Amino acid sequence: DAGVIQSPRHEVTEMGQEVTLRCKPISGHNSLFWYRQTMMRGLELLIYFNNNVPIDDSGMPEDRFSAKMPNASFSTLKIQPSEPRDSAVYFCAARGVRELFFGEGSRLTVL
Amino acid sequence: AQSVTQLGSHVSVSEGALVLLRCNYSSSVPPYLFWYVQYPNQGLQLLLKYTTGATLVKGINGFEAEFKKSETSFHLTKPSAHMSDAAEYFCAVSDAGNTPLVFGKGTRLSVIA
């Protein structure tokens, strides 16, 4: 079991550019979560899916953020256009029985 | 709504000393409780969890936590700190449904030689 796989691990981009973060969840785990981690705000839930369906996206900060899960093995988080305040580590997590299994995260820096 | 409060954003202990990281939760339903550890530049790794049954839960790396309903607490302990325990620790709560985990702000543990 390879665990949750995220890419890219690091992304540096300029303000206004589109950013796409990718997640491959654990096979058979039907719920997927996107979190954002910053020093100021800690871990924030952005959106989560059950069986590929978005359940709650109230944590998505603005319309610039969007997330999709076209199938059980892939999800994307897109920011368009990106802004410096979007700089953070973005985590994808898959739910086990009760706990979450996290990926290594994607560190985004927007200049 | 559920919430978690971790007392102390930074705890420093000497190597070999007791580790105690505090977590209090708020939940209107019986909670499921978790402790995660995060090493630099890594994701969160599950240390232990309480769902039902025995209130004293043992986890990896010698850590344990006790669920105390009367105190709404789930403090994390380890009898003897090791240098490798230096990391960020997060307490989290959820309910019995399929709802997301709610995380505390985290506590950074430093271990002094």
Side-chain angles (χ1 to χ4, degrees), chain A residues 9 37 89 91 103-105 107, chain B residues 38-45:
Chain A
R9 290 293 314 276
Q37 185 178 38
V89 181
F91 287 103
E104 295 284 291
R107 181 176 295 276
Chain B
Q38 184 181 30
Y39 299 103
N41 299 315
Q42 294 188 22
L44 280 71
Q45 177 184 359

Side-chain angles (χ1 to χ4, degrees), chain B residues 61-97:
Chain B
N61 302 339
F63 284 93
E64 62 182 36
E66 186 171 12
F67 169 57
K68 292 187 177 180
K69 183 179 178 181
S70 61
E71 299 178 7
T72 61
S73 70
F74 191 58
H75 301 330
L76 182 71
T77 60
K78 182 175 180 177
S80 177
H82 192 273
M83 297 297 289
S84 61
D85 295 326
E88 187 97 17
Y89 291 80
F90 293 90
C91 183
V93 63
S94 74
D95 61 25

Side-chain angles (χ1 to χ4, degrees), chain B residues 6 10 12 17 21 26 28-29 33 39-40 43-44 49 52 59 72 75-76 78-79 82 84 86 90-91 96 106 108:
Chain B
Q6 291 185 240
H10 186 203
S12 185
L21 304 182
S26 173
S28 59
V29 298
L33 295 159
Y39 299 103
L44 280 71
K49 64 180 178 182
T52 58
T72 61
H75 301 330
L76 182 71
K78 182 175 180 177
H82 192 273
S84 61
F90 293 90
C91 183
R108 181 169 298 280

Side-chain angles (χ1 to χ4, degrees), chain A residues 9 31 33 35 37 40-43 45 48 50 91 95 97-105 107, chain B residues 32 34 36 38 41-44 46 49 51 90 94-105:
Chain A
R9 290 293 314 276
S31 296
F33 302 77
Y35 285 86
Q37 185 178 38
M40 292 296 294
R41 302 170 76 98
L43 271 166
L45 176 67
Y48 76 99
N50 283 343
F91 287 103
R95 186 195 294 275
V97 176
R98 293 296 174 192
E99 68 273 19
L100 296 183
F101 295 96
F102 283 80
E104 295 284 291
R107 181 176 295 276
Chain B
Y32 288 1
F34 309 83
Y36 282 82
Q38 184 181 30
N41 299 315
Q42 294 188 22
L44 280 71
L46 182 69
K49 64 180 178 182
T51 52
F90 293 90
S94 74
D95 61 25
N98 212 19
T99 56
L101 272 62
V102 175
F103 286 86
K105 295 287 189 184

Side-chain angles (χ1 to χ4, degrees), chain A residues 11-48:
Chain A
E11 175 92 4
V12 180
T13 190
E14 292 187 348
M15 183 174 61
Q17 296 297 305
E18 178 179 296
V19 174
T20 299
L21 307 178
R22 298 174 176 79
C23 175
K24 178 177 172 23
I26 300 171
S27 177
H29 288 58
N30 297 330
S31 296
L32 183 141
F33 302 77
W34 282 99
Y35 285 86
R36 178 171 69 176
Q37 185 178 38
T38 61
M39 290 290 291
M40 292 296 294
R41 302 170 76 98
L43 271 166
E44 302 174 276
L45 176 67
L46 299 177
I47 185 172
Y48 76 99

